[in-house]
């Protein structure tokens, strides 16, 4: 029988916080050694975060341990952003094979190659991966993983955190700030993670939290990430038409942050909320009449513009958790949620949505009592059986009880 525990501790003494978080996470295991431990640390100094990660791994004595430094951490039913904290998740997983890995990228004349990924076994169910986006080509690796790894789902996130502070608050993440934890060691480059196989019962869930606006359209002209025409109309002019027909609230949301949904199933009779892979709209040029998207969109694809707000994101996650929780019991979960889904999206802790704690509370309420994770700078998870790197999503790995 698998057992799970989670803990979160804060305070100026981060080593003591690490020990406290480990004690809370391992208490439900009743003295049994954890088969898998996840450690997430938030602190403006990377080396202090590294020391806390090492202490947590040492004290827990797990068979396999992994984790990272992040801008915020999740555990004990709450999320903590931009403040020193340690979150720990522990599990006993009888019959489950856990294979740790460390990936490194190397440049050469032909491009970039990645080494260190073990060959998946036939009964491997999922890979959990945490990556430093400054030293590892996460998006390229994830996009090519379906053929390279035989369709094995990957879940996880990009591990970045500001280093130090400024008069305006935390600095922006920069190269050199990553700290990746794996089996007692701390790495500053690449990616780390684990393969889970054998008698493992897991599910991967991705909540994109957007709702569609305007009509469903076919891309009739495009080049790379630039849309030239939608439904036979110049893309910029078509977007203007859609915005003009929106209500005031939706128009304001679109102007704050517009997204494009690319239909997952081109042959569906109708495409509604949840039927699209969401990508950000990064530009619109009136002179060239183009709209630029954060991905390559081919001619003939079915697309629809989307908006995102706190209400939509909350409803989407709640619906996903409720539908999944009815399937079969879940004992624990790892949560990788966007660093834009904390106070930025859900307000302060006393707001209607609960601020940084919103996503973990939703997962606990609808799915699993023992949840930990971190606020990522990009979330990894499969949509329609294909791995993708996302933004503004909540990616969840749920373990059966």
């Amino acid at each position: 029988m698998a057992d799970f525990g989670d803990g979160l501790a804060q305070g100026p003494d981060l080593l003591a916080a690490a020990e406290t978080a480990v004690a809370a996470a391992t208490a439900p295991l009743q003295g049994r050694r954890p088969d898998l431990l996840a450690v997430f640390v938030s602190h403006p100094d990377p080396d202090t975060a590294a020391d806390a990660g090492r202490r947590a791994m040492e004290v827990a004595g797990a068979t396999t341990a992994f984790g990272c430094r992040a801008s915020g951490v999740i555990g004990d039913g709450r999320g903590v952003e931009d403040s020193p904290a340690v979150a720990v998740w522990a599990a006993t997983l009888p019959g489950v094979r856990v294979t740790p890995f460390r990936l490194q990228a190397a440049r050469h004349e032909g491009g970039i190659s990645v080494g260190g990924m073990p060959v998946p076994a036939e009964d491997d169910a999922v890979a959990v991966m945490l990556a430093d986006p400054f030293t590892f080509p996460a998006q390229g690796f994830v996009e090519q993983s379906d053929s390279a790894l035989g369709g094995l789902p990957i879940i996880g996130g990009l591990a970045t955190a500001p280093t130090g502070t400024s008069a305006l608050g935390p600095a922006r993440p920069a190269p050199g700030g990553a700290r990746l934890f794996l089996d007692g060691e701390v790495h500053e480059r690449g990616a780390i993670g684990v393969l889970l196989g054998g008698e493992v019962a897991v599910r991967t869930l991705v909540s994109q939290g957007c709702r569609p606006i305007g009509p469903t359209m076919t891309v009739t002209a495009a080049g790379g990430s630039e849309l030239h025409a939608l439904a036979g109309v110049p893309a910029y002019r078509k977007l203007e038409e859609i915005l003009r027909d929106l209500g005031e609230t939706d128009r304001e949301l679109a102007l704050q942050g517009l997204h494009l949904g690319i239909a997952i199933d081109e042959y569906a009779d109708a495409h509604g909320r949840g039927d699209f892979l969401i990508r950000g709209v990064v530009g619109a040029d009136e002179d060239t009449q183009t709209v630029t998207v954060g991905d390559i969109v081919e001619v003939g694809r079915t697309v629809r513009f989307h908006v995102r707000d706190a209400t939509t994101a909350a409803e989407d996650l709640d619906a996903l958790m409720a539908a999944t929780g009815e399937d079969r019991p879940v004992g624990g979960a790892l949560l990788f949620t966007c660093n834009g889904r904390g106070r930025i999206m859900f307000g302060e802790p006393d707001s209607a949505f609960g601020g940084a704690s919103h996503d973990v509370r939703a997962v606990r309420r609808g799915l699993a009592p023992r949840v930990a994770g971190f606020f990522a700078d990009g979330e990894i998870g499969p949509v329609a059986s294909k791995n993708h790197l996302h933004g503004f999503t909540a990616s969840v790995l749920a373990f059966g009880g």
Side-chain angles (χ1 to χ4, degrees), residues 214-304:
T216 299
M217 303 164 289
T218 300
V219 177
T220 49
S225 60
E226 286 189 350
L227 303 178
H228 296 289
L230 298 170
V233 178
Y236 186 92
R237 179 152 63 87
K238 189 65 177 178
L239 176 57
E240 279 188 317
E241 294 174 1
I242 293 171
L243 294 178
R244 186 176 59 245
D245 292 339
L246 294 178
E248 183 177 347
T249 299
D250 280 352
R251 188 182 303 115
E252 182 64 28
L253 288 173
L255 293 175
Q256 291 175 2
L258 185 64
H259 305 270
L260 186 78
I262 305 168
I264 296 168
D265 181 2
E266 289 286 344
Y267 303 102
D269 293 334
H271 295 93
R273 182 166 159 180
D275 295 330
F276 296 88
L277 174 66
I278 304 299
R279 289 294 183 249
V281 172
V282 298
D285 191 318
E286 184 176 9
D287 293 334
T288 62
Q289 289 288 295
T290 59
V291 174
T292 305
V293 184
D295 204 346
I296 295 175
V297 185
E298 298 174 346
V299 172
R301 296 303 301 267
T302 300
V303 298
R304 193 174 182 183

Side-chain angles (χ1 to χ4, degrees), residues 2-399:
D3 280 314
F4 305 88
D6 66 308
L8 187 150
Q10 297 175 261
D13 186 343
L14 209 61
L15 297 184
E19 295 173 359
T20 300
V22 168
T26 55
L29 308 188
Q30 300 179 340
R32 285 174 293 167
R33 182 184 185 186
D35 295 308
L36 183 62
L37 190 86
V39 181
F40 308 108
V41 182
S42 173
H43 196 279
D45 176 41
D47 293 331
T48 299
D51 290 341
R54 287 192 190 92
R55 178 62 63 87
M57 291 186 285
E58 177 185 5
V59 171
T63 304
T64 301
F66 76 105
C68 65
R69 175 180 178 246
S71 61
V73 299
I74 294 165
D76 193 29
R78 56 199 172 107
V80 175
E81 295 178 287
D82 303 324
S83 181
V86 180
V88 176
W89 182 91
T92 58
L93 302 169
V96 176
R97 183 180 62 256
V98 182
T99 305
F101 62 82
R102 181 188 175 205
L103 308 181
Q104 292 182 289
R107 290 186 178 275
H108 49 79
E109 289 185 1
I112 300 175
S113 61
V114 173
M117 189 72 192
V119 177
E122 289 187 3
D123 61 349
D124 278 335
V126 68
V128 187
M129 187 178 83
L130 313 179
D132 169 28
F134 294 104
T135 61
F136 186 79
Q139 182 161 0
F141 180 83
V142 169
E143 289 176 349
Q144 297 175 29
S145 65
D146 296 291
S147 56
L149 301 180
L152 186 74
I154 304 177
I155 197 116
L158 305 186
T160 66
T163 298
T165 59
S166 67
L168 300 177
R172 291 192 59 80
R179 297 296 183 269
L180 304 170
F181 313 140
L182 186 65
D183 287 344
E185 297 185 355
V186 178
H187 305 282
E188 299 181 9
R189 301 176 59 85
I192 57 92
V194 293
L195 286 176
L196 301 177
E199 299 175 20
V200 58
V202 291
R203 281 166 285 173
T204 57
L205 312 167
V206 177
S207 174
Q208 299 184 93
C210 277
R211 64 178 163 84
I213 57 170
T216 299
M217 303 164 289
T218 300
V219 177
T220 49
S225 60
E226 286 189 350
L227 303 178
H228 296 289
L230 298 170
V233 178
Y236 186 92
R237 179 152 63 87
K238 189 65 177 178
L239 176 57
E240 279 188 317
E241 294 174 1
I242 293 171
L243 294 178
R244 186 176 59 245
D245 292 339
L246 294 178
E248 183 177 347
T249 299
D250 280 352
R251 188 182 303 115
E252 182 64 28
L253 288 173
L255 293 175
Q256 291 175 2
L258 185 64
H259 305 270
L260 186 78
I262 305 168
I264 296 168
D265 181 2
E266 289 286 344
Y267 303 102
D269 293 334
H271 295 93
R273 182 166 159 180
D275 295 330
F276 296 88
L277 174 66
I278 304 299
R279 289 294 183 249
V281 172
V282 298
D285 191 318
E286 184 176 9
D287 293 334
T288 62
Q289 289 288 295
T290 59
V291 174
T292 305
V293 184
D295 204 346
I296 295 175
V297 185
E298 298 174 346
V299 172
R301 296 303 301 267
T302 300
V303 298
R304 193 174 182 183
F305 288 109
H306 283 66
V307 293
R308 176 187 281 116
D309 60 3
T311 299
T312 300
E315 290 175 351
D316 188 76
L317 184 57
D318 282 341
L320 182 62
M321 294 301 104
T324 305
E326 293 173 356
D327 185 14
R328 62 180 184 267
V330 173
L334 290 170
L335 169 61
F336 310 99
T337 192
C338 180
N339 53 20
R341 289 177 62 106
R343 291 192 305 270
I344 294 174
M345 177 172 287
F346 296 114
E348 294 301 319
D350 57 353
S351 70
F353 297 103
S357 299
H358 173 273
D359 284 354
V360 63
R361 290 177 180 174
V363 176
R364 289 185 74 178
R365 182 172 61 246
L367 193 62
R370 302 293 186 177
V371 184
F374 71 96
F375 290 91
D377 201 21
E379 307 76 56
I380 302 166
V383 173
S385 301
K386 182 175 175 59
N387 295 315
H388 298 280
L389 180 64
H390 306 272
F392 289 97
T393 68
S395 293
V396 181
L397 179 63
F399 291 75

